[in-house]
Amino acid sequence: MAEKFDNLEEHLEKFIENIRQLGIIVSDFQPSSQTGLNQKLNLMITGLQDVEKCRQQLNDIHVPLEAFEYIDQGRNPQLYTKECLERALAKNEQVKGKIDTMTKFKSLLISELGKVFPEEMAKYKAIHGDDPPS
Amino acid sequence: MHLRRNPCSQTEAQGHSGPSALGFGSGKPLPPPVPQNPVHMAVPIPHQLVDEGPPLRKPAAMNEPFYLVRELPMENELTGNTNLITHYNLEHAYNKFCGKKVKEKLSNFLPELPGMIDTPGHQDGSSLRSLIEKPPVCNNSFSPLTGTMLTGFRLHTGPLPEQYRLMHIQPPKKKSKHKHRHHRPQDPLPPETPSDSDHKKKKKKKDDDPDRKKKKKDKKKKKNRHSPDHPGMTSSQPSSSSLR
């Protein structure tokens, strides 16, 4: 799994470095650097081909669109991961709270029903057990 | 206290479908109220405890099992009752991202990326969203440029105009880092002998001295003017003279 990403990362790094060098050549262009520029341009295309090849290995990877929004805003996309984890934990705790409350309510209801309808609750307990799973 | 029958049986009596929809919990559809098999499940409810109910109640609804005696819905193995972060082995990720402060800027995430990347992408049309919404019109494959194609990339000599030199602009780094770097050249990394370090300390003191010297000189002058035989002078003088 990690190899796929390493491979892509390596190609992207090479591609970015090539673009950076291209930028340097172009920023103060000299006639003698035309050959170098041509080489870099073709290297850029090779780099794009390499990145394209990586696509087949990463078909099963899904990136949430929200993460792109973070990048577009110049924000660290790790903040998205952080917020997702925090939200998940908060929701998890919330649901656990509800489940715990409902469990308490159920046991209280069973005990109170047992007082008012002992026969019916005895049958209920016979079917579901004394302490039914919550 | 009156025992009320399952409200769904009432709704059913009024012609609505889905008796399981109002059951305790959800998920598993309950078997349809088949009148063939209600006998062993149904709880005989004392007549005096039963509501009179609507007059149009159907006999099938009457034969339905008591709400609580029905089979419980299937339980999900995984619920919010379990810690899902732990269940999916995400503790490491949680500690990594939520344990410490994550830096806000994109340049902190991609420090090696050249150019100013912290500005919003829509400002210069480099946003990923625009790439998704309006994908560039191009071929499916990349082919190398031929000699004739490369003639289109002959550039004018000389530097680029200022506004196009975006590649060289880097996001400003934190002051603390600068300070750190500033100190490093003075304190070389290799391990030092105690004498060396003492020497360095002295040097440091000397570097800091000029300001102190000036201040002390000023003080000295003032004191000399006002009270030339001040006792405090004797204590301060040696230190200043030693620094010289």
Side-chain angles (χ1 to χ4, degrees):
Chain A
M1 187 70 171
E3 284 172 16
K4 292 180 192 175
F5 292 115
D6 288 345
N7 193 25
L8 175 67
E9 206 174 312
E10 196 183 316
H11 286 309
L12 284 174
E13 277 174 8
K14 279 182 187 168
F15 183 74
I16 289 165
E17 177 56 22
N18 184 50
I19 294 285
R20 193 184 67 82
Q21 289 176 10
L22 202 60
I24 292 166
I25 293 171
V26 166
S27 63
D28 192 5
F29 191 72
Q30 301 301 320
S32 58
S33 32
Q34 185 65 52
T35 321
L37 176 74
N38 292 351
Q39 278 177 357
K40 293 281 171 202
L41 285 170
N42 270 325
L43 204 60
M44 189 175 79
I45 291 161
T46 317
L48 286 171
Q49 284 171 337
D50 290 339
V51 174
E52 170 77 10
K53 279 175 197 165
C54 294
R55 201 177 70 156
Q56 293 155 359
Q57 300 172 343
L58 300 162
N59 271 336
D60 54 337
I61 306 297
H62 299 280
V63 182
L65 280 173
E66 289 92 334
F68 287 171
E69 278 171 25
Y70 275 69
I71 296 166
D72 285 347
Q73 288 160 10
R75 295 177 72 201
N76 188 343
Q78 286 178 332
L79 288 168
Y80 171 74
T81 314
K82 185 189 172 183
E83 280 170 25
C84 274
L85 284 165
E86 282 173 348
R87 243 183 292 147
L89 189 70
K91 200 77 185 165
N92 196 171
E93 283 170 353
Q94 203 182 347
V95 173
K96 186 176 165 30
K98 281 183 185 175
I99 289 171
D100 288 349
T101 311
M102 290 305 285
T103 309
K104 280 178 192 168
F105 171 70
K106 189 180 179 181
S107 63
L108 191 68
L109 183 68
I110 285 170
S111 76
E112 290 299 316
L113 280 173
K115 288 174 195 170
V116 184
F117 307 108
E119 284 178 25
E120 286 79 7
M121 288 315 291
K123 282 176 184 167
Y124 171 83
K125 282 174 186 174
I127 294 168
H128 297 300
D130 270 351
D131 189 16
S134 52
Chain B
M1 184 175 172
H2 295 280
L3 176 65
R4 287 185 179 272
R5 287 184 62 84
N6 183 3
C8 61
S9 63
Q10 286 187 3
T11 53
E12 196 180 62
Q14 289 160 6
H16 293 290
S17 61
S20 66
L22 292 170
F24 188 76
S26 60
K28 190 193 173 190
L30 289 171
V34 188
Q36 296 95 321
N37 195 19
V39 184
H40 70 280
M41 286 291 287
V43 179
I45 301 161
H47 183 71
Q48 66 272 17
L49 293 173
V50 182
D51 262 350
E52 288 299 316
L56 291 170
R57 184 179 286 171
K58 287 178 185 175
M62 291 289 286
N63 290 333
E64 265 196 11
F66 174 51
Y67 185 87
L68 289 174
V69 189
R70 281 182 183 174
E71 198 178 328
L72 288 171
M74 274 281 282
E75 277 196 40
N76 287 327
E77 285 177 11
L78 187 63
T79 62
N81 207 16
T82 53
N83 187 341
L84 297 171
I85 301 275
T86 318
H87 184 266
Y88 289 107
N89 296 322
L90 290 168
E91 302 105 316
H92 176 70
Y94 185 81
N95 291 332
K96 186 182 170 188
F97 295 115
C98 304
K100 60 183 179 183
K101 197 186 172 189
V102 179
K103 288 179 180 173
E104 185 78 18
K105 290 180 177 177
L106 183 61
S107 58
N108 295 126
F109 179 63
L110 299 166
E112 305 299 322
L113 207 62
M116 189 70 183
I117 57 170
D118 292 336
T119 49
H122 63 82
Q123 281 184 6
D124 55 355
S126 68
S127 69
L128 293 167
R129 182 160 280 279
S130 68
L131 199 66
I132 295 163
E133 285 170 355
K134 292 174 190 171
V137 182
C138 59
N139 292 331
N140 288 330
S141 60
F142 299 101
S143 45
L145 298 170
T146 57
T148 46
M149 285 171 166
L150 284 167
T151 52
F153 291 93
R154 277 184 189 160
L155 303 178
H156 294 288
T157 52
L160 272 179
E162 197 68 39
Q163 68 266 28
Y164 298 117
R165 292 181 196 171
L166 295 169
M167 294 293 281
H168 302 290
I169 303 168
Q170 288 288 336
K173 286 177 182 171
K174 278 193 174 179
K175 282 179 183 176
S176 60
K177 278 188 179 176
H178 280 292
K179 276 182 185 174
H180 203 63
R181 280 182 189 172
H182 193 70
H183 279 288
R184 270 186 184 168
Q186 289 181 350
D187 303 324
L189 284 174
E192 297 161 348
T193 57
S195 59
D196 280 347
S197 59
D198 288 346
H199 184 67
K200 294 273 154 57
K201 278 177 190 173
K202 277 178 190 172
K203 265 193 174 178
K204 257 190 182 178
K205 270 190 179 178
K206 276 185 184 175
D207 291 342
D208 295 333
D209 277 346
D211 291 337
R212 279 188 186 178
K213 260 187 182 180
K214 278 183 185 176
K215 281 181 185 176
K216 281 180 181 173
K217 268 187 182 177
D218 292 340
K219 274 186 183 178
K220 208 178 168 183
K221 279 178 187 175
K222 278 181 186 177
K223 281 173 186 174
N224 283 336
R225 276 177 205 163
H226 297 291
S227 57
D229 301 323
H230 197 272
M233 284 292 289
T234 50
S235 62
S236 64
Q237 267 179 339
S239 62
S240 61
S241 62
S242 68
L243 287 171
R244 282 174 200 171

